[in-house]
Amino acid sequence: MSELQDLAESVFSDAWDNTATGFDSELWKTCEQTGIARLTLPEAAGGSEGSLTDAAAVLTAAGTYAARVPLVETDLLAGWLLHAAGIEVPSGPLTAVVAADLRVQRAASGATVSGTLPKVPWARSAAGIVVLVGEQVLLLDPASVAITEGANLAEEPRDDVVLNDVTVAAGSIADAPAQVAVEFPLRAALGRSLLLAGAARAALAMAVKYAGERVQFGRPIGKLQAIQQQLALAGAEVAAAAAASEAAARAAEADGFDSPATGFAIAAAKARCSEAAAVVARITHQVHGAIGFTREHDLRMATTRLWAWRDEDGSDSFWNDRIGARVLEAGAGGLWPLVTGTP
């Protein structure tokens, strides 16, 4: 995995740009050429057949360098969902969403679909929009829908997609396999946790570097005990986020997403990473002072993502509720095996 991690670090660091927003088409071409765009998908779906621990290394690096490409959406969500449903995976960047209120009228020739999909990641740049609605999987052609552009705090595309009697061909709709409704949010939360861990790592590195360079009262502010204490606290949060997200990826790799232990590990990872995001963003901005809030400063590339991603795919309170419910269900005798992942 170290070679893959080195490759990902090189690819994403070369594409670093703190002035651009939206989809990075050149970076996406590189991701496809190196095989990391569809890292975990099987070869039959155009993938590289990598593991989830491989994906952990790539996504953490993507979060560190604020990569403006839909890796989680294409690989872990849309590509996986299409392949599981037996629908051919198209080339190009993809996005995926769970819809609750789309109106789907199926026929022998396909289906007619109407409704609105709010805040779809990267919709304007996607070659295909994959929708899980009830017990059906649909592949939508972005050219057939109306897209209203939006963005999250990090200026990543989060677009509203409107469907007015959109025709979906028979080969682009299928019954959803069992368990995908349960697995989809877990995959999304795992991917977001890894991105958060990377962004937190980046913010801390910037703060440590700045503290060593910024001189106040005749010495670097990093020599001040108060600054050292805050950076140590941020470092602990970064370490906790990395440990939790990597452990969740290993659990999913070993036991699959249908394992209760995996579900618990992913819930804990997303909750912990979202909690860490708030602390790390606060401390790193305090260390930088006013300069860290300027648009020209690199720090915003990490902290705006921490603020945006901490609530996406389930906030810390959402996943902590799931953890609490699972602990109560396990009871006193089941708590230790639940926490440790042992029988």
Side-chain angles (χ1 to χ4, degrees):
M1 189 175 72
S2 60
E3 293 182 2
L4 179 61
Q5 186 171 4
D6 290 343
L7 171 63
E9 295 273 349
S10 175
V11 167
F12 297 134
S13 62
D14 287 347
W16 172 270
D17 187 346
N18 73 345
T19 64
T21 60
F23 177 67
D24 188 339
S25 58
E26 291 303 314
L27 174 57
W28 182 257
K29 291 178 183 177
T30 303
C31 289
E32 289 193 322
Q33 291 167 357
T34 55
I36 61 178
R38 289 170 170 77
L39 182 61
T40 66
L41 292 179
E43 185 177 355
S48 301
E49 299 191 349
S51 68
L52 287 169
T53 50
D54 291 335
V58 170
L59 292 175
T60 301
T64 300
Y65 294 102
R68 294 177 288 108
V69 287
L71 291 174
V72 172
E73 292 80 4
T74 299
D75 184 27
L76 293 187
L77 299 178
W80 156 77
L81 191 54
L82 289 174
H83 182 66
I87 299 174
E88 183 178 354
V89 181
S91 59
L94 305 173
T95 189
V97 65
V98 176
D101 57 357
L102 283 188
R103 298 180 299 279
V104 181
Q105 295 182 334
R106 293 193 70 165
S109 60
T112 302
V113 187
S114 297
T116 300
L117 304 171
K119 297 182 179 180
V120 179
W122 308 96
R124 77 191 72 162
S125 304
I129 301 172
V130 182
V131 184
L132 175 61
V133 50
E135 298 179 350
Q136 301 170 97
V137 177
L138 300 88
L139 173 59
L140 304 176
D141 181 355
S144 67
V145 302
I147 296 177
T148 301
E149 295 186 358
N152 63 11
L153 188 61
E155 298 180 290
E156 295 178 309
R158 298 293 185 266
D159 305 326
D160 291 342
V161 177
V162 179
L163 298 83
N164 292 315
D165 293 329
V166 171
T167 300
V168 179
S172 295
I173 183 170
D175 292 334
Q179 293 299 314
V180 296
V182 175
E183 187 170 340
F184 188 99
L186 293 176
R187 284 176 163 268
L190 174 59
R192 195 66 57 189
S193 298
L194 293 163
L195 291 173
L196 277 165
R201 184 180 74 176
L204 176 63
M206 293 178 201
V208 170
K209 183 175 184 292
Y210 182 79
E213 297 171 344
R214 177 72 168 93
V215 175
Q216 189 72 31
F217 306 116
R219 58 177 177 169
I221 62 173
K223 298 292 185 180
L224 301 174
Q225 188 175 40
I227 299 295
Q228 292 174 348
Q229 289 174 333
Q230 289 300 299
L231 289 175
L233 177 57
E237 293 293 315
V238 170
S245 58
E246 290 169 8
R250 289 195 300 271
E253 181 68 28
D255 302 324
F257 285 93
D258 58 348
S259 165
T262 298
F264 189 84
I266 292 175
K270 184 55 170 73
R272 193 64 190 85
C273 289
S274 291
E275 290 171 1
V279 177
V280 172
R282 172 178 59 81
I283 290 174
T284 54
H285 273 290
Q286 287 174 338
V287 170
H288 278 83
I291 193 173
F293 285 95
T294 61
R295 184 172 182 82
E296 292 77 14
H297 202 282
D298 285 350
L299 182 62
R300 72 170 181 87
M301 298 293 288
T303 55
T304 56
R305 283 165 171 77
L306 290 174
W307 288 321
W309 292 344
R310 67 182 179 181
D311 291 327
E312 292 185 344
D313 300 309
S315 65
D316 57 296
S317 60
F318 172 85
W319 288 108
N320 278 326
D321 283 345
R322 296 290 185 92
I323 293 169
R326 184 71 184 89
V327 168
L328 291 174
E329 180 185 341
L335 178 58
W336 183 250
L338 184 65
V339 171
T340 59
T342 58

